[in-house]
Amino acid sequence: MTQQECIPLPKPLDQLTAQEIERKAAIGKIMTYTLQSLTNTYVNKGFEWLLPVALSQSTDPLWPDPGASIEKRIEVDIYGKPVRTTASMIVHKLVGCSTVYEKLFIVSPNIRIEKSERAKTGKHIYEFTQLDFEIQHATSKDVFALVEEAICTLIKGLKADRKAELAILGRSDLKVPKAPFKILDRADLEAKYGADWEAAMIKEITEPVWITNIPREFYDFEDFATGRWDNYDLFMPQYGEVLSGARREYEYSKIYEKMEREQVRKENYSIILKMAKDGRLKPTAGAGIGMERIVGYITGVSHIGECQPFPRVPGNVQEL
Ligand code: ASN
């Protein structure tokens, strides 16, 4: 059996032993501290904190995305109209940031019914929460600087204020990263390590790194002249991805062309298309920090479902 196949799956609350309750409580305290520290950083920088939605006609297509493995999309009728459960609030972010809220964030539940075999990765859950933010007229560099500050402040704070919990979790050696983080190009990594570049790169790095230029959904900015994508993922050493985001497309002709190319259903994105056509979609940049992923990194759990009070492990449906 490989190491991945023997990852112990997170248990429901009522089945935890006394020792497991102590660990779960320590993870809970780290999650609370993380939510407070990250949201403080954004609020203090003038971001508006929007409430999330669960059902919309338009949600993230999650396509084409080399990392996606969605088994089922949830669509129901309400009031005679089809709505989908939120896969991410990217569309809401683009519309909100182009109209009322120049800098915004949402602590948003995302439902992605991952294939059952993804239970083994320890990094996938079928409902997760992201701190999803967007900034008008921002560049990728602006996003890098903001996230680096938010993460370094968080880890520094945890090391000072949550020593006991980090000790319970065997994470007293957690390192405060050194900003600015390195920026690497996905194409270079692919050339160096091949298709499985992620796994190889994670093992080698000792500090967080930004990976740019990843072909994916229509809303991430692609330079049609060079084929380069102005988007990014943040990877933590010995762990993996904790954030993804981009500078965004805002020109009608490019968005239209990409939707055609990728066969995205245009009728689900009519607000985006209309606003872009009218010149009302603004250039923005943003990203989403996976809360269970970042807390999973900090706490060193073997499955990120352990960071959820009610674990959402692919293939495992519990009473709560
Ligand atoms: N939150 C991501 C972003 O801002 C989108 C996603 O979760 N698919 O680009």
Side-chain angles (χ1 to χ4, degrees):
M1 237 194 284
T2 68
Q3 199 191 351
Q4 286 202 333
E5 274 162 334
C6 20
I7 286 183
L9 295 183
K11 290 191 207 162
L13 293 181
D14 59 298
Q15 290 174 26
L16 299 176
T17 62
Q19 206 188 0
E20 288 165 346
I21 286 175
E22 191 192 28
R23 265 179 68 80
K24 192 86 179 178
I27 297 167
K29 290 205 190 308
I30 303 254
M31 175 62 87
T32 299
Y33 192 97
T34 302
L35 282 163
Q36 185 172 38
S37 172
L38 293 179
T39 55
N40 271 350
T41 297
Y42 285 82
V43 172
N44 291 341
K45 287 183 181 296
F47 281 71
E48 299 306 331
W49 189 342
L50 308 197
L51 297 174
V53 295
L55 299 169
S56 310
Q57 292 197 58
S58 182
T59 195
D60 195 327
L62 296 178
W63 173 263
D65 180 345
S69 134
I70 302 298
E71 174 167 301
K72 176 180 182 149
R73 292 175 189 268
I74 302 176
E75 205 174 294
V76 287
D77 267 34
I78 56 169
Y79 310 115
K81 293 223 164 131
V83 290
R84 296 164 186 88
T85 47
T86 300
S88 94
M89 283 185 64
I90 182 68
V91 182
H92 304 73
K93 288 203 303 178
L94 298 184
V95 173
C97 196
S98 295
T99 53
V100 178
Y101 315 101
E102 286 177 23
K103 300 202 269 185
L104 67 85
F105 75 94
I106 314 151
V107 180
S108 158
N110 290 191
I111 299 184
R112 302 184 186 174
I113 311 302
E114 303 276 357
K115 295 208 165 78
S116 299
E117 64 252 29
R118 280 208 160 170
K120 296 198 290 262
T121 67
K123 299 286 186 330
H124 293 89
I125 41 188
Y126 65 84
E127 277 186 69
F128 71 97
T129 299
Q130 51 175 322
L131 194 161
D132 218 0
F133 64 93
E134 201 69 23
I135 313 163
Q136 219 181 75
H137 298 300
T139 62
S140 297
K141 291 265 153 64
D142 297 330
V143 172
F144 294 173
L146 170 68
V147 170
E148 286 166 8
E149 184 186 330
I151 289 185
C152 293
T153 303
L154 163 67
I155 298 183
K156 220 166 154 185
L158 281 166
K159 289 194 68 76
D161 304 332
R162 291 294 176 271
K163 277 200 185 74
E165 288 76 13
L166 290 173
I168 288 171
L169 298 162
R171 292 292 283 161
S172 301
D173 61 347
L174 181 68
K175 255 188 20 190
V176 180
K178 283 194 221 58
F181 306 160
K182 239 195 213 160
I183 305 165
L184 304 176
D185 189 303
R186 183 263 328 151
D188 297 340
L189 290 169
E190 235 168 51
K192 184 169 171 197
Y193 299 110
D196 206 12
W197 58 268
E198 272 195 39
M201 182 265 305
I202 290 161
K203 279 192 211 131
E204 276 192 15
I205 57 175
T206 54
E207 288 284 331
V209 294
W210 294 104
I211 306 298
T212 62
N213 189 22
I214 309 154
R216 55 187 178 206
E217 291 89 350
F218 72 82
Y219 47 76
D220 284 10
F221 189 94
E222 178 183 2
D223 182 335
F224 279 3
T226 61
R228 260 201 112 256
W229 291 72
D230 190 358
N231 58 7
Y232 34 84
D233 281 353
L234 178 64
F235 283 82
M236 304 307 273
Q238 317 302 312
Y239 183 74
E241 186 207 315
V242 293
L243 165 152
S244 76
R247 173 156 77 101
R248 310 299 179 188
E249 298 288 4
Y250 61 96
E251 282 174 49
Y252 175 76
S253 59
K254 286 185 76 187
I255 296 176
Y256 189 92
E257 191 176 329
K258 288 168 92 178
M259 285 183 174
E260 284 270 292
R261 181 179 81 192
E262 286 144 23
Q263 306 203 318
V264 169
R265 285 155 68 177
K266 291 190 211 65
E267 65 274 21
N268 290 348
Y269 302 97
S270 51
I271 298 183
I272 294 276
L273 285 165
K274 171 102 180 42
M275 284 182 65
K277 198 170 195 174
D278 297 344
R280 293 199 298 135
L281 201 63
K282 304 257 166 75
T284 65
I289 304 173
M291 290 306 306
E292 295 87 347
R293 289 260 184 106
I294 187 89
V295 171
Y297 169 71
I298 292 163
T299 55
V301 294
S302 51
H303 197 293
I304 63 166
E306 282 186 63
C307 303
Q308 300 181 294
F310 309 104
R312 270 32 195 163
V313 178
N316 285 267
V317 176
Q318 303 285 339
E319 188 170 338
L320 300 183

